[in-house]
Amino acid sequence: MAEKKEKKANNVHEVTVTIDGEKWNKILDDTFKKVVKTVKIDGFRPGKVPREIFEKKYGKQALVVDAVDVAVKDAYDEALKEFKGEPIVRPGVAVEKADENGVTFKFIFTTKPEVKINKYTNLGVKEPKVKVTDKDVEEEIENAKKQYADLQIKEGKAENGDTVVIDFEGFDGDKAFEGGKAENYALELGSNSFIPGFEEALVGLKAGDKKDVHVTFPEDYHAEELKGKPVVFKVLVHEVKTKVYPELNEEFFLDLGLDDVKTEEDFKKTIKENLKVQREYEAENKYIDELFDALLKETSVSIPHELIHEEVDRMVKDYEERLKMQGITLEQFYKFTNSSEEALKSQMHEEAEKRVKLRFAIDEIIELENIDATDEEVEKDAEEKAKKHNMDKDEYVKAFGGTEMLKYDIKVQKVIDILKK
């Protein structure tokens, strides 16, 4: 029976349960019947060892230990009835006493802690205003043209922005150094991908030219033996290529997947609309993050450590899944980064605590504002999002985590709308 219920703290409670008498004797009997099947004692067939012989050889406490493992489930069910609350983490359990006369368990239940929010409107976060200028549109068009530019052979001298195809070999004095040689290497002049002075020295060369390029390695160069060293590269230019940018015509628009765009004016209009949508999306996410940060500053709650540990475990699992998509295992990640599971969890601890605290704050506002989501709202939301993701509605609901997850997501959105006030 559950003997007492003691409130240890605001949200931590103890329930002590003792199982004795006939119930305990039955558990001991059932445990013995199970254990005796695997016991071997000279002079007895398997499963036929008398209990007094078993206890004489192994001691009464050996049977008690196994019986405790059987009794804990019934004890937990009894403690839960007595507690009559909703634990938010797996209850802790300890055996206070266990012998042939009975067993006493102590269960520690953790319920939702008290959440105090000073305010959750007028948080002082300004909604960002998104603007797309003609200059932004021109830059986006230039980026698209660069992406689809063709490299064509150029007669004449190389200029910044051109690509030269070269052979080169580096020498420290009269000795070639390791890693300083390549053939048919394509180098874009002005890309700053080589050590300072190398690319600049190739400007003005043409196909067939040879040149000794004198440069000095930077003091912070990764190879210790070359740091600050003056060297010479012997270079042969095979080809000079220049970028030819596409014209703004229907063929180019089709390459970009813009089937409905026919004119340059339509193209600029589409670019501007797409930029606006993208920036609005980014600005909205940033706005919500800032609202949440402001809400957390107004929220105080004592978070159970178990919840933070659970959240860290979830974050590690999510991170593991993302690594798998890149073909990397967690073990490989630890090896590559000279890290460990303990170090990764330590890095995630602060963010995990923030997430748990935010959930408590959101749930508190849901309760204070009596926020709910109707079946009609859930149905409409599921249909709209399934269409957006080109999925069947039922398939989307299942992928999202079920109807209850959708309902909670709608509630969270309603909380966000309140925070914006």
Side-chain angles (χ1 to χ4, degrees):
M1 59 175 288
E3 293 184 337
K4 64 179 180 178
K5 177 181 175 184
E6 178 186 349
K7 190 171 183 181
K8 295 286 290 181
N10 176 32
N11 61 313
V12 181
H13 310 260
E14 283 185 4
V15 178
T16 303
V17 177
T18 297
I19 296 178
D20 52 16
E22 291 184 13
K23 188 173 183 179
W24 178 241
N25 288 331
K26 186 177 185 310
I27 291 174
L28 287 172
D29 289 341
D30 292 343
T31 303
F32 173 72
K33 290 173 185 175
K34 185 178 179 181
V35 171
V36 76
K37 293 177 182 177
T38 61
V39 170
K40 292 181 180 180
I41 295 180
D42 292 341
F44 297 94
R45 286 179 296 158
K48 299 298 181 181
V49 178
R51 184 163 168 177
E52 59 270 19
I53 300 296
F54 172 89
E55 290 179 347
K56 186 175 180 181
K57 180 174 178 61
Y58 295 102
K60 292 182 178 181
Q61 199 63 24
L63 196 58
V64 169
V65 170
D66 288 333
V68 166
D69 292 336
V70 176
V72 69
K73 184 182 181 303
D74 286 345
Y76 173 68
D77 291 341
E78 197 169 333
L80 204 55
K81 289 177 186 176
E82 170 68 18
F83 175 61
K84 298 175 183 175
E86 291 186 24
I88 59 171
V89 295
R90 186 187 297 275
V93 59
V95 179
E96 291 200 320
K97 185 191 76 169
D99 56 31
E100 59 187 296
N101 298 315
V103 59
T104 299
F105 297 98
K106 181 173 71 176
F107 293 93
I108 300 174
F109 292 95
T110 304
T111 56
K112 178 185 171 183
E114 184 180 2
V115 181
K116 291 182 179 179
I117 304 178
N118 296 326
K119 64 176 181 177
Y120 50 86
T121 57
N122 299 316
L123 291 171
V125 180
K126 290 184 179 180
E127 186 171 3
K129 296 189 183 300
V130 172
K131 186 179 179 182
V132 179
T133 66
D134 291 341
K135 183 182 177 183
D136 295 332
V137 173
E138 290 300 329
E139 287 178 355
E140 193 69 15
I141 291 173
E142 284 303 309
N143 289 334
K145 287 167 69 176
K146 285 178 182 177
Q147 186 179 350
Y148 283 84
D150 283 330
L151 279 177
Q152 295 183 4
I153 298 292
K154 174 183 177 179
E155 298 295 336
K157 297 177 180 181
E159 301 174 85
N160 257 337
D162 289 342
T163 295
V164 290
V165 180
I166 58 175
D167 294 343
F168 63 85
E169 185 171 15
F171 291 85
D172 177 9
D174 296 329
K175 184 180 179 183
F177 54 83
E178 188 177 350
K181 183 179 180 179
E183 294 179 351
N184 293 312
Y185 187 91
L187 173 64
E188 182 181 339
L189 302 183
S191 64
N192 298 317
S193 53
F194 267 46
I195 61 174
F198 186 90
E199 294 173 32
E200 292 87 338
L202 303 186
V203 173
L205 298 184
K206 57 185 184 298
D209 285 349
K210 294 181 179 180
K211 185 173 182 179
D212 288 351
V213 178
H214 294 267
V215 290
T216 300
F217 277 96
E219 293 292 343
D220 60 351
Y221 194 67
H222 62 84
E224 190 68 35
E225 66 278 8
L226 293 174
K227 285 183 178 180
K229 272 274 181 95
V231 297
V232 61
F233 283 93
K234 295 185 178 298
V235 180
L236 166 64
V237 180
H238 289 296
E239 292 176 332
V240 178
K241 296 181 177 181
T242 190
K243 288 179 181 176
V244 178
Y245 295 101
E247 295 182 16
L248 298 182
N249 54 28
E250 280 193 61
E251 184 181 352
F252 179 53
F253 305 148
L254 285 172
D255 286 340
L256 294 173
L258 303 174
D259 298 358
D260 298 330
V261 175
K262 306 298 180 184
T263 67
E264 185 175 335
E265 186 180 346
D266 289 342
F267 180 53
K268 289 182 177 180
K269 184 179 177 183
T270 301
I271 290 290
K272 190 168 188 174
E273 289 172 353
N274 289 347
L275 271 177
K276 190 168 185 290
V277 169
Q278 178 187 336
R279 290 185 179 183
E280 283 176 343
Y281 174 78
E282 292 169 353
E284 175 70 3
N285 285 339
K286 185 172 182 290
Y287 181 36
I288 291 171
D289 285 343
E290 289 175 353
L291 283 169
F292 283 158
D293 286 340
L295 173 63
L296 289 176
K297 288 177 182 177
E298 299 291 338
T299 303
S300 59
V301 57
S302 178
I303 303 172
H305 296 299
E306 295 87 349
L307 276 183
I308 299 174
H309 294 154
E310 285 179 6
E311 186 63 29
V312 168
D313 289 340
R314 261 193 297 271
M315 291 170 67
V316 170
K317 192 168 182 62
D318 288 344
Y319 191 63
E320 182 178 17
E321 291 302 315
R322 291 200 299 273
L323 287 174
K324 279 183 183 176
M325 293 174 69
Q326 302 173 40
I328 303 171
T329 66
L330 259 183
E331 288 69 27
Q332 288 172 326
F333 169 78
Y334 295 143
K335 186 176 180 180
F336 295 155
T337 58
N338 194 26
S339 184
S340 64
E341 181 179 356
E342 184 180 354
L344 181 62
K345 286 185 174 182
S346 178
Q347 290 173 17
M348 292 178 169
H349 189 275
E350 185 177 347
E351 176 62 21
E353 185 174 2
K354 180 179 174 181
R355 290 185 185 186
V356 175
K357 185 178 180 181
L358 182 59
R359 279 205 298 270
F360 278 125
I362 288 172
D363 289 345
E364 182 70 9
I365 296 172
I366 289 172
E367 190 174 327
L368 290 170
E369 295 283 343
N370 295 314
I371 294 173
D372 201 1
T374 64
D375 293 341
E376 291 77 13
E377 287 174 317
V378 173
E379 185 77 10
K380 182 182 176 183
D381 188 63
E383 287 175 357
E384 289 177 353
K385 288 180 177 174
K387 185 178 180 181
K388 182 179 177 181
H389 290 87
N390 295 317
M391 295 173 70
D392 174 75
K393 187 190 75 174
D394 292 339
E395 181 187 1
Y396 174 79
V397 172
K398 184 179 179 181
F400 195 80
T403 304
E404 288 305 311
M405 285 297 291
L406 271 174
K407 184 175 284 191
Y408 183 74
D409 191 57
I410 293 171
K411 291 179 183 179
V412 171
Q413 187 56 56
K414 289 182 178 182
V415 169
I416 292 171
D417 291 339
I418 291 172
L419 298 180
K420 288 178 177 179
K421 290 181 181 178

